[in-house]
């Protein structure tokens, strides 16, 4: 069949800004692709090219599309369709009447797919409405097996966090990405009926403090004491991300630091590791390591990252010198700021509803509900 060649020159760069009632997000998905690397898209329906508001521009009449970035241009093609210089600003998207699978990732997505060029690499962007974005987040941030009220609390926290960080990557031409730098998002592939129900039950709900959307940070476990955000990351003190006791989250861990880990410090034989300062939650603020080759001072987070944050699960720990090694005995999993997911589960088991859970972990906040104009595209 004769191929159709389109050459598009786009002069106006459209930046994705979220506005209530215009609820679609641009989320970078997966890795970036080097120039010349093919991206394969497939659908069980039919592809089409649409405008930013999903008005049909061209029918592709195919279930498979290849995308490639080369010579400074984006090309899309199928058996009977070719489009040269596809825009890299989101003004046009690839859509379908069924979900779209990115074969390179083996993940399917609702909504549309557009493209950006950053650092001479091709970024894939999923244009998705907020509520379906949450459906792709929730099962990755909290197990669907958790109690319903905990899942609802997570849904409101995740929605609030997304809205508070909506323009985190605006300079790159999109809103958020799909990693832990924002929230883990795996599209339609991760949808689950239990977490879907939590999203639906809290549709449009988000947290505010003094009229502003809350940056509703969350983590696995506070270890019995919530951390103050300003002590963990610096910056201004938040009135709702404060240090306080948490009787609902009691995750405990221990880890043995042997020469394998200690060699990462590059101090030769390690003689002592001392906690020289703690923050208001009892977390290690400063650690002094004395070794054969000198003395090194690190923050608790720097020490944790150096030793491996899946082994040293938090900075809330004590150190026992065993002579040729050091035993860490700790509590909590993660940074300890905001909502503790394990704590939310325990509160739900104790018959707290999701509003009570959120009130405990984000004191002084208010749940608001706006019609975000959810669209099923």
């Amino acid at each position: 069949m004769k191929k159709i060649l389109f050459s598009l020159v786009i002069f106006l760069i459209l930046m994705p800004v979220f506005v209530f009632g215009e609820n679609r997000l641009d989320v970078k998905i997966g890795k970036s692709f080097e120039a010349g690397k093919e991206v394969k898209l497939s659908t069980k329906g039919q592809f089409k090219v649409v405008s930013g508001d999903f008005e049909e521009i061209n029918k592709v009449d195919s279930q498979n599309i290849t995308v490639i970035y080369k010579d400074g241009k984006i090309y899309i093609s199928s058996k009977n369709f070719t489009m040269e210089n596809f825009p890299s600003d989101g003004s046009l998207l690839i859509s379908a009447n069924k979900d779209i699978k990115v074969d390179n990732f083996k993940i399917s997505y609702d909504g549309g797919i557009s493209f950006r060029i950053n650092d001479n690499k091709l970024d894939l962007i999923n244009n998705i409405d907020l509520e379906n974005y949450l459906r792709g987040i929730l099962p990755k941030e909290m197990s669907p097996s958790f109690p319903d009220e905990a899942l609802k609390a997570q849904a409101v926290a995740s929605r609030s966090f997304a809205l508070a960080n909506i323009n985190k990557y605006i300079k790159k031409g999109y809103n958020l990405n799909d990693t832990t730098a924002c929230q883990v998002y795996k599209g339609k592939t991760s949808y689950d009926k239990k977490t879907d129900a939590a999203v639906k039950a809290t549709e449009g709900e988000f947290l505010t403090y003094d009229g502003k959307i809350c940056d509703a940070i969350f983590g696995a476990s506070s270890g019995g004491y919530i951390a103050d955000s300003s002590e963990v990351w610096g910056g201004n003190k938040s009135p709702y991300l404060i240090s306080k006791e948490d009787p609902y989250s009691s995750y405990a861990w221990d880890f043995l630091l042997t020469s394998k880990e200690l060699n990462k410090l590059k101090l030769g034989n390690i003689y002592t590791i001392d906690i020289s300062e703690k923050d208001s939650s009892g977390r290690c603020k400063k650690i002094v390591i004395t070794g054969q080759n000198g003395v090194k001072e690190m923050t608790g987070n720097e020490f944790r990252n150096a030793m491996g944050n899946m082994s040293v699960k938090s900075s809330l720990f004590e150190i026992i010198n065993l002579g040729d090694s050091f035993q860490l005995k700790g509590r909590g999993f993660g940074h300890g700021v905001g909502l503790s997911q394990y704590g939310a589960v325990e509160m739900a088991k104790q018959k707290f509803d999701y509003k009570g859970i959120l009130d405990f972990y984000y004191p002084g906040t208010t749940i608001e509900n706006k019609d975000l104009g959810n669209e099923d595209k």
Side-chain angles (χ1 to χ4, degrees), residues 139-150:
K140 295 300 177 182
E141 294 290 357
M142 182 175 274
S143 171
S145 67
F146 285 180
D148 291 345
E149 295 305 309

Side-chain angles (χ1 to χ4, degrees), residues 57 60 79 102 143 184 204 215 239 260 266 270 278 293 349 364 377:
I57 304 296
V60 178
K79 286 190 292 187
V102 181
S143 171
V184 177
D215 192 6
K260 177 182 177 181
K266 299 180 179 179
I270 303 298
K278 294 183 178 182
N293 299 331
K349 290 179 179 178
K377 291 178 181 173

Side-chain angles (χ1 to χ4, degrees), residues 47-290:
F47 279 118
K48 56 186 175 180
V49 177
V50 299
S51 65
D53 57 2
F54 280 78
E55 292 296 322
E56 184 176 307
I57 304 296
N58 287 104
K59 288 183 179 178
V60 178
D61 194 27
S62 175
Q63 294 184 326
N64 296 279
I65 283 179
T66 299
V67 183
I68 190 168
Y69 171 61
K70 62 180 181 180
D71 301 326
K73 297 179 181 180
I74 298 171
Y75 298 82
I76 65 169
S77 61
S78 66
K79 286 190 292 187
N80 57 0
F81 184 92
T82 299
M83 198 169 195
E84 178 184 335
N85 209 14
F86 196 89
S88 60
D89 60 7
S91 56
L92 293 182
L93 304 93
I94 304 298
S95 183
N97 55 354
K98 299 283 187 180
D99 54 85
I100 299 172
K101 183 178 181 180
V102 181
D103 294 340
N104 306 64
F105 305 153
K106 297 181 172 60
I107 298 174
S108 296
Y109 299 89
D110 278 329
I113 301 292
S114 63
F115 311 99
R116 305 290 184 276
I117 304 300
N118 286 295
D119 301 321
N120 201 36
K121 295 180 181 180
L122 180 70
D123 292 336
L124 269 61
I125 309 299
N126 181 205
N127 182 270
I128 186 76
D129 69 90
L130 177 61
E131 298 303 307
N132 278 334
Y133 171 64
L134 290 170
R135 292 174 68 197
I137 283 173
L138 215 59
K140 295 300 177 182
E141 294 290 357
M142 182 175 274
S143 171
S145 67
F146 285 180
D148 291 345
E149 295 305 309
L151 293 174
K152 291 177 190 176
Q154 181 67 59
V156 176
S158 286
R159 189 180 291 107
S160 304
F161 184 89
L163 292 173
N165 291 276
I166 204 70
N167 289 323
K168 185 170 184 175
Y169 294 105
I170 200 72
K171 290 183 179 179
K172 291 180 176 288
Y174 51 89
N175 300 115
L176 304 165
N177 68 25
D178 64 356
T179 74
T180 55
C182 296
Q183 299 182 80
V184 177
Y185 169 66
K186 298 300 179 185
K188 188 171 185 176
T189 301
S190 65
Y191 290 1
D192 182 274
K193 63 181 181 180
K194 274 203 70 184
T195 47
D196 284 355
V199 173
K200 185 64 177 177
T202 63
E203 185 171 358
E205 293 184 358
F206 57 95
L207 294 167
T208 64
Y209 186 95
D210 197 23
K212 296 180 180 179
I213 298 172
C214 293
D215 192 6
I217 294 167
F218 55 88
S221 172
S222 70
Y225 218 108
I226 300 167
D228 186 300
S229 63
S230 65
E231 293 181 318
V232 174
W233 297 301
N236 295 329
K237 191 176 182 68
S238 168
Y240 55 87
L241 297 174
I242 59 174
S243 174
K244 69 172 187 174
E245 288 189 52
D246 180 1
Y248 307 106
S249 188
S250 57
Y251 184 90
W253 58 270
D254 62 79
F255 184 66
L256 185 67
L257 293 175
T258 64
S259 57
K260 177 182 177 181
E261 290 78 31
L262 297 173
N263 286 340
K264 298 175 184 178
L265 298 171
K266 299 180 179 179
L267 290 174
N269 293 331
I270 303 298
Y271 304 136
T272 61
I273 304 177
D274 297 311
I275 301 169
S276 61
E277 187 179 350
K278 294 183 178 182
D279 66 19
S280 62
S281 69
R283 285 168 170 78
C284 301
K285 190 171 183 178
K286 291 183 180 178
I287 294 175
V288 178
I289 304 104
T290 303

Side-chain angles (χ1 to χ4, degrees), residues 5-17:
L5 179 65
F6 292 87
S7 180
L8 298 176
V9 180
I10 306 297
F11 297 101
L12 180 62
I13 296 178
L14 305 176
M15 301 302 283
V17 179

